[in-house]
Amino acid sequence: MSKKVTDVVADLAAPIVNELGLELVDIEYVKEGKNWFLRVFIDSDDGVDIEECGIVSERLSEKLDPLDPIPHNYFLEVSSPGAERPLKKEADFQKAIGKHVNIKTYEPIDGEKVFEGILESFDGKTVTVTVTIKTRKKQVEIPYEKVAGARLAVIFG
C-alpha cells in the first residue's frame, strides 16, 4: 500500500467525524508489546462522550473492513485526546492562544528544547510563549518549523 495507514484512516474517518460535528484530532498506529493499536482521537468544543466514540468506532470499522489496509490483527480505539491534547495543526495552535502549553523543539533555542508556559500568539511562522523562569517571565519566539511536538499542559497546584 503506497499510503501510510494513518493517512488511509484519516481519509476514512474525517467524513464520519465531520458528519457528527466533531473534530479529528490525531491518529496513531503503534505497536505496543506484541499488539498493534490504531488509535483515533476525536474532540469537540463541548468534549466527547463514550457514545460518540462508539459511533465513530462502529462507522470507521465498517469502512476499514472491506478496504483491509492493515494486514494483521489490531485493536481500534476511539477516544478523546484528553486534557493534554496534542497541538498538531496550525488551527490547534490558534485555538490554544491564551492557554498553558508544553512545546518541544528539534534543536535548542536559547539553550533549551522544552518550553512550558502561556501561548501568547501564533502567526503561522512563529509560536510565542511566555515562560516563567524562577520568578521572572520571559517571552520566547519559536520558529514553527522547529516545533517537534506540542500539547496543552495541565497545571497542578
Side-chain angles (χ1 to χ4, degrees), residues 5-75:
V5 168
T6 53
D7 292 337
V8 172
V9 174
D11 290 346
L12 296 173
I16 296 167
V17 297
N18 290 341
E19 182 185 320
L20 296 169
L22 303 171
E23 175 190 359
L24 180 61
V25 175
D26 197 13
I27 296 173
E28 291 179 350
Y29 179 57
V30 294
K31 187 172 186 182
E32 294 178 2
K34 60 182 177 148
N35 296 315
W36 283 90
F37 291 87
L38 176 59
R39 294 190 176 113
V40 178
F41 297 97
I42 59 173
D43 208 357
S44 77
D45 290 341
D46 301 322
V48 293
D49 60 28
I50 191 91
E51 188 177 316
E52 289 166 315
C53 291
I55 292 168
V56 171
S57 178
E58 194 175 298
R59 290 186 185 173
L60 183 55
S61 286
E62 289 171 0
K63 300 265 188 211
L64 283 168
D65 289 345
L67 263 185
D68 203 19
I70 301 171
H72 47 263
N73 290 340
Y74 64 94
F75 294 95

Side-chain angles (χ1 to χ4, degrees), residues 43-123:
D43 208 357
S44 77
D45 290 341
D46 301 322
V48 293
D49 60 28
I50 191 91
E51 188 177 316
E52 289 166 315
C53 291
I55 292 168
V56 171
S57 178
E58 194 175 298
R59 290 186 185 173
L60 183 55
S61 286
E62 289 171 0
K63 300 265 188 211
L64 283 168
D65 289 345
L67 263 185
D68 203 19
I70 301 171
H72 47 263
N73 290 340
Y74 64 94
F75 294 95
L76 173 62
E77 297 176 353
V78 177
S79 67
S80 161
E84 293 195 337
R85 83 177 265 174
L87 306 176
K88 297 274 193 174
K89 304 175 280 236
E90 289 189 17
D92 296 337
F93 282 86
Q94 291 293 343
K95 280 203 256 182
I97 291 173
K99 296 183 178 166
H100 201 83
V101 297
N102 178 289
I103 298 176
K104 294 180 179 158
T105 59
Y106 289 113
E107 56 191 56
I109 295 172
D110 296 338
E112 300 291 329
K113 288 179 77 176
V114 178
F115 302 90
E116 191 160 312
I118 302 297
L119 178 58
E120 298 294 340
S121 66
F122 175 64
D123 64 8

Side-chain angles (χ1 to χ4, degrees), residues 137-156:
K137 291 190 182 299
K138 173 184 173 187
Q139 277 204 344
V140 180
E141 292 189 349
I142 303 166
Y144 183 56
E145 72 270 4
K146 292 189 179 177
V147 173
R151 62 175 170 76
L152 293 179
V154 175
I155 306 167
F156 294 99

